[in-house]
Amino acid sequence: MQGVDAVVVGAGFGGLYMLYRLRELGLTVRVIEAGSGVGGTWYWNRYPGARCDTETMQYSYSFSPELQQEWRWTEKFAGQPEILAYANHVADRFDLRRDITFNTSVVSATYDEEHDRWSVVTDADETIDSRFVFMATGCLSTARMPDFPGMSSFNGRTYHTGHWPHEGVDFAGRRVAVIGTGSSAIQSIPMIAQQAKHVAVFQRTPNYSIPARNVPMTDDYERQWKSDYPALRQQQKRTRTGILNGLNDVSAMAVSDDERQRQYEQRWLTGGTTFMASFNDLVTNKDSNHTAAEFVRQQIKATVRDPAVAELLTPRDYPIGTKRICADTAYFETFNRDNVTLVDIRKAPIDRIVADGIVAAETTHAVDDIVFATGFDAMTGALLKVDIRGRGGVSLRDKWNAGPRAYLGIATAGFPNLFMITGPGSPSVLSNMIVSIEQHVEWLTDCIRHMQNCQMHVIEPTLAAEDAWVEHVNKAAHRTLYPSAASWYMGANIPGKPRVFMPYIGGVGRYREECDEIAAKGYEGFTLAPAGGAPVAAPRAL
Ligand code: NAP
């Protein structure tokens, strides 16, 4: 059995950076990665049209001034191949690969209370003995396949957007079904429609989407960012979303109708999800939200030629932004093509899959290929896939039976020295993921340095601090409109999953302050203990 200081699970952006920092602390590290390469979400999600909907000058690491100066993005919103190339560059530039084991999954992690060590078992039947475990498993990494009756009887090809073949897929001359209309579908449908003979889009819930208006990177724009990167990165960290989006810090209700319309039109023309920064209360004030939603509905009506199709594509029963807002390239326009049809499976759900197609409302839609753009078991899926057992053999699955419970979204009581990068209860998916990843990794690096300095071996949150944090996260969510949508943020896309708003909506700026304050108070809410010793830091609730 090999012994190391730390096991990091996952070699996406979180795992790569965690490895880099742990090495700096002088720790021995093993990174275990299921894929054959680095990049996490950008390794798996290779569907046509996959691209980041945060500007890549902002969706990139800030920890290395040299890296952020030398890397050159070719587009405002980089596509998946370029982001994956960037992840590979980072792995090479910082010589990270030598500590990563690829094509291997962690199946269990068990805490040995006698020795204060974790025993991490992989599907290669290796057991690694480690002091720390860092779960850098990603928030949207467990692809979710629905279980329609007859799935196995289908004679054609099937794909999931979150698990796309590396060699790509040729849809030329094929009749393709796409199930789902979330971000992945909205990006891939226009691309598939350009190739396929016919595309049938199976929609359960229409989505709000803003044109991305992606453009090639210009030297000028790049220079503006790079000449001021340190200051701009600092500003990003203090925002709500970790994105400099030109937030218009007034209520939509505080301006005239004309001014409101002007603001929406300008944002619509600029493109991208920063549309939601048109006003400061779009996700907290129903009336304000209604004005933004109505504006988008009008754009759909003006874009889609067939009024019945336009109406079906128009979201009406949840506030804009409370399901993840999408950014697209010609999504609504694609429904004007002769080779694209929209199938409403809200009124007439899919009954079953048969050998040659999909049956909904007794109509068989004959297709050659099915693309499942059906999303992920978000935030908790990848964590609970691993059989994690803490003190007393208690499993994380049992502990989180009624929903995830974690202090700061970083650690959970009863599971000492086990950490989550962007776990439930932290801003994570409500923010620029790289900003949130860097904040967690740096906070944890400081925490472990603190443990080294005061010769502490074990750290663990108290139940009282964890309970108070979970309550804080819930209260923050219920001050917004988010819980009113049946979204994956709420676990609503997975039958039987507890309905709990999982990310922390306080904003990355405020969250950072809260984390820093806890660290400054000697890691308040955590207990620390020396090797083989009793806890020495008094547990104090928030
Ligand atoms: P998603 O947002 O969860 O969308 C899944 C879609 O599949 C929804 O339309 C859902 O309908 C439908 N669906 C699921 N199960 C179904 C069933 N049994 N029958 C019929 N329809 C079903 O998943 P996603 O599009 O992969 O996106 C997930 C998240 O990943 C995004 O919200 C975003 O955070 C991230 N993402 C980001 C980017 C980007 O940066 N550009 C791109 C892609 C994804 P309902 O809505 O009715 O449940």
Side-chain angles (χ1 to χ4, degrees):
M1 187 195 302
Q2 195 203 1
V4 289
D5 295 318
V7 166
V8 176
V9 188
F13 282 109
L16 290 177
Y17 187 37
M18 197 71 242
L19 166 60
Y20 174 86
R21 286 289 178 204
L22 290 172
R23 268 195 199 159
E24 271 189 347
L25 290 173
L27 270 55
T28 52
V29 188
R30 282 281 302 278
V31 179
I32 308 297
E33 166 56 52
S36 64
V38 300
T41 200
W42 301 104
Y43 170 92
W44 297 103
N45 288 266
R46 298 170 188 242
Y47 59 82
R51 118 176 8 265
C52 188
D53 58 16
T54 300
E55 278 193 41
T56 6
M57 293 307 291
Q58 304 201 45
Y59 184 90
S60 45
Y61 286 125
S62 69
F63 71 84
S64 160
E66 298 78 20
L67 172 69
Q68 71 180 2
Q69 287 298 330
E70 75 199 12
W71 184 263
R72 301 202 65 181
W73 296 105
T74 65
E75 293 177 280
K76 181 177 177 186
F77 298 106
Q80 173 273 332
E82 191 171 10
I83 304 174
L84 185 60
Y86 172 75
N88 276 289
H89 171 76
V90 170
D92 293 333
R93 194 189 190 289
F94 299 103
D95 185 24
L96 300 177
R97 287 182 207 278
R98 64 185 156 87
D99 288 326
I100 307 175
T101 305
F102 291 105
N103 301 308
T104 306
S105 298
V106 169
V107 290
S108 68
T110 308
Y111 191 66
D112 170 354
E113 287 182 73
E114 196 183 327
H115 302 99
D116 289 323
R117 306 279 297 180
W118 283 94
S119 180
V120 178
V121 178
T122 75
D123 61 358
D125 275 341
E126 187 187 7
T127 302
I128 309 166
D129 164 71
S130 181
R131 181 175 157 204
F132 297 112
V133 175
F134 296 84
M135 299 299 289
T137 38
C139 295
L140 294 158
S141 49
T142 303
R144 166 78 189 167
M145 274 296 231
D147 49 0
F148 299 118
M151 293 264 281
S152 59
S153 66
F154 185 59
N155 278 339
R157 307 180 301 181
T158 57
Y159 305 98
H160 191 288
T161 47
H163 231 173
W164 204 258
H166 288 200
E167 62 281 10
V169 180
D170 185 1
F171 289 112
R174 316 272 298 177
R175 296 164 305 169
V176 183
V178 179
I179 302 179
T181 47
S183 299
S184 304
I186 279 177
Q187 288 187 330
S188 57
I189 287 166
M191 303 294 289
I192 297 172
Q194 284 172 29
Q195 226 192 25
K197 183 171 163 199
H198 183 261
V199 178
V201 177
F202 288 74
Q203 173 187 274
R204 190 164 65 182
T205 311
N207 235 314
Y208 297 94
S209 185
I210 314 296
R213 303 198 200 282
N214 189 27
V215 286
M217 183 66 64
T218 63
D219 290 348
D220 245 16
Y221 192 68
E222 183 182 2
R223 206 173 310 116
Q224 274 176 41
W225 271 93
K226 288 192 172 174
S227 62
D228 208 14
Y229 242 149
L232 293 169
R233 297 291 202 187
Q234 283 309 315
Q235 285 175 32
Q236 266 184 293
K237 291 175 184 177
R238 289 194 295 269
T239 60
R240 196 171 66 80
T241 57
I243 302 170
L244 294 176
N245 54 15
L247 173 68
N248 183 24
D249 203 5
V250 291
S251 162
M253 295 290 100
V255 301
S256 67
D257 292 353
D258 285 354
E259 168 53 18
R260 199 183 304 119
Q261 184 72 7
R262 198 192 60 73
Q263 184 66 229
Y264 289 143
E265 273 167 10
Q266 186 199 318
R267 297 268 176 177
W268 183 264
L269 289 176
T270 305
T273 58
T274 58
F275 180 83
M276 290 305 291
S278 299
F279 295 100
N280 67 8
D281 60 349
L282 294 185
V283 291
T284 49
N285 180 326
K286 255 189 184 162
D287 295 334
S288 297
N289 186 285
H290 178 76
T291 64
E294 198 47 38
F295 178 86
V296 175
R297 290 182 196 125
Q298 291 308 321
Q299 305 307 310
I300 298 171
K301 194 172 174 185
T303 307
V304 180
R305 283 201 289 269
D306 181 332
V309 176
E311 182 51 32
L312 268 183
L313 287 167
T314 301
R316 295 200 180 275
D317 58 358
Y318 62 97
I320 185 169
T322 55
K323 275 180 174 240
R324 171 68 150 62
I325 188 99
C326 304
D328 68 277
T329 300
Y331 174 65
F332 293 114
E333 289 85 341
T334 294
F335 291 89
N336 293 332
R337 293 176 67 105
D338 292 338
N339 70 334
V340 177
T341 51
L342 183 63
V343 183
D344 178 11
I345 52 168
R346 166 160 290 177
K347 277 209 192 107
I350 293 174
D351 295 327
R352 61 191 181 279
I353 310 273
V354 290
D356 62 345
I358 298 174
V359 182
E362 296 312 317
T363 303
T364 302
H365 302 265
V367 294
D368 304 310
D369 302 324
I370 304 176
V371 173
F372 291 91
T374 44
F376 301 88
D377 184 354
M379 303 205 71
T380 53
L383 292 166
L384 297 182
K385 213 154 67 173
V386 180
D387 184 11
I388 301 176
R389 289 176 187 267
R391 289 193 190 282
V394 171
S395 83
L396 191 62
R397 288 172 194 155
D398 285 344
K399 179 177 172 183
W400 286 9
N401 193 24
R405 303 190 71 79
Y407 184 39
L408 302 178
I410 285 180
T412 184
F415 297 79
N417 287 359
L418 178 116
F419 308 105
M420 293 162 283
I421 315 283
T422 66
S426 72
S428 61
V429 289
L430 295 175
S431 69
N432 178 341
M433 285 304 294
I434 305 225
V435 170
S436 286
I437 283 169
E438 286 194 334
Q439 187 257 337
H440 267 188
V441 169
E442 286 159 15
W443 191 92
L444 283 167
T445 307
D446 290 344
C447 172
I448 287 165
R449 190 179 294 113
H450 170 80
M451 291 173 76
Q452 288 175 331
N453 290 342
C454 55
Q455 294 176 354
M456 290 293 147
H457 190 75
V458 180
I459 185 165
E460 178 184 351
T462 67
L463 205 51
E466 180 173 291
D467 288 347
W469 183 258
V470 171
E471 167 106 7
H472 181 55
V473 170
N474 280 334
K475 276 194 180 146
H478 287 278
R479 279 194 290 267
T480 74
L481 304 172
Y482 275 90
S484 55
S487 66
W488 58 255
Y489 297 130
M490 297 286 297
N493 64 327
I494 306 290
K497 189 167 173 171
R499 297 274 179 119
V500 176
F501 191 79
M502 293 181 285
Y504 173 49
I505 204 167
V508 299
R510 176 166 162 207
Y511 175 75
R512 179 181 297 268
E513 283 168 17
E514 291 172 319
C515 288
D516 289 350
E517 209 178 297
I518 284 163
K521 289 182 183 164
Y523 295 90
E524 188 177 35
F526 289 91
T527 53
L528 290 109
V536 294
R540 273 200 298 176
L542 266 184

